[in-house]
C-alpha cells in the first residue's frame, strides 16, 4: 500500500490523530506499507504547525519526496505547491504502477481531482 500524506494529514500526525498514527505504525511495522511526504506539502504543514517537518522526517516509516524537475514542470500549472506535489506524488510510477492514495483530513479538497483518497477525519 502506497500512501501520500498531504499537508493536512501531516499536521494531523502532530495533533494526535489516531488514524494518522495507525498509518505510521503500519508503514513502520509492515513491509508492504509505504508512506510518502512530498517536500512542498511538508513545508506547508510545518508553516501551519512548526516542528512538523523535523518530526515527520525523523520517522523511519516515512519517505520524504524531493522536488525533481518532472514535479516542477507538472506543478507549474497548478494553484498550490502543497496540493500539486501531493497529487504529483500519487500518480503512477514504475515503482508504484497503481499510483498511491492521498491521506488527508480535507477530503473535499480532492473531490474534483483524479486521485484516490483516504479520509483521516476523526
Amino acid at each position: 500500500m502506497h500512501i501520500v500524506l498531504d499537508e493536512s494529514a501531516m499536521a494531523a500526525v502532530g495533533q494526535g490523530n489516531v488514524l494518522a498514527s495507525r498509518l505510521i505504525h503500519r508503514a513502520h511495522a509492515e513491509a508492504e506499507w509505504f508512506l510518502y511526504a512530498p517536500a512542498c506539502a511538508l513545508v506547508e504543514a510545518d508553516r501551519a504547525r512548526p516542528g512538523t517537518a523535523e518530526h515527520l522526517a525523523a520517522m523511519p516509516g516515512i519517505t520524504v519526496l524531493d522536488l525533481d524537475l518532472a514535479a516542477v514542470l507538472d506543478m507549474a500549472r497548478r494553484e498550490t505547491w502543497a496540493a500539486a506535489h501531493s497529487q504529483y506524488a500519487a500518480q503512477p510510477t514504475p515503482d508504484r504502477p497503481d499510483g498511491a492514495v492521498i491521506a488527508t483530513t480535507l477530503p473535499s479538497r480532492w473531490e474534483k481531482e483524479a486521485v484516490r483518497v483516504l479520509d483521516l477525519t476523526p
Side-chain angles (χ1 to χ4, degrees), residues 13-100:
V13 169
Q15 296 169 332
N17 181 298
V18 173
L19 298 173
S21 295
R22 286 180 187 165
L23 284 178
I24 291 167
H25 173 73
R26 289 191 92 164
H28 181 70
E30 296 184 32
E32 298 298 318
W33 281 71
F34 303 93
L35 287 183
Y36 304 99
C40 292
L42 193 57
V43 168
E44 288 303 316
D46 198 71
R47 285 181 179 166
R49 186 172 174 80
T52 300
E54 291 87 359
H55 179 68
L56 289 172
M59 293 183 176
I62 296 178
T63 301
V64 176
L65 299 176
D66 294 332
L67 189 60
D68 60 14
L69 179 58
V72 169
L73 296 174
D74 183 67
M75 291 171 50
R77 297 181 292 269
R78 302 184 189 266
E79 191 171 321
T80 69
W81 287 27
H85 200 188
S86 296
Q87 186 172 0
Y88 177 81
Q91 299 308 307
T93 66
D95 294 338
R96 299 183 304 274
D98 294 328

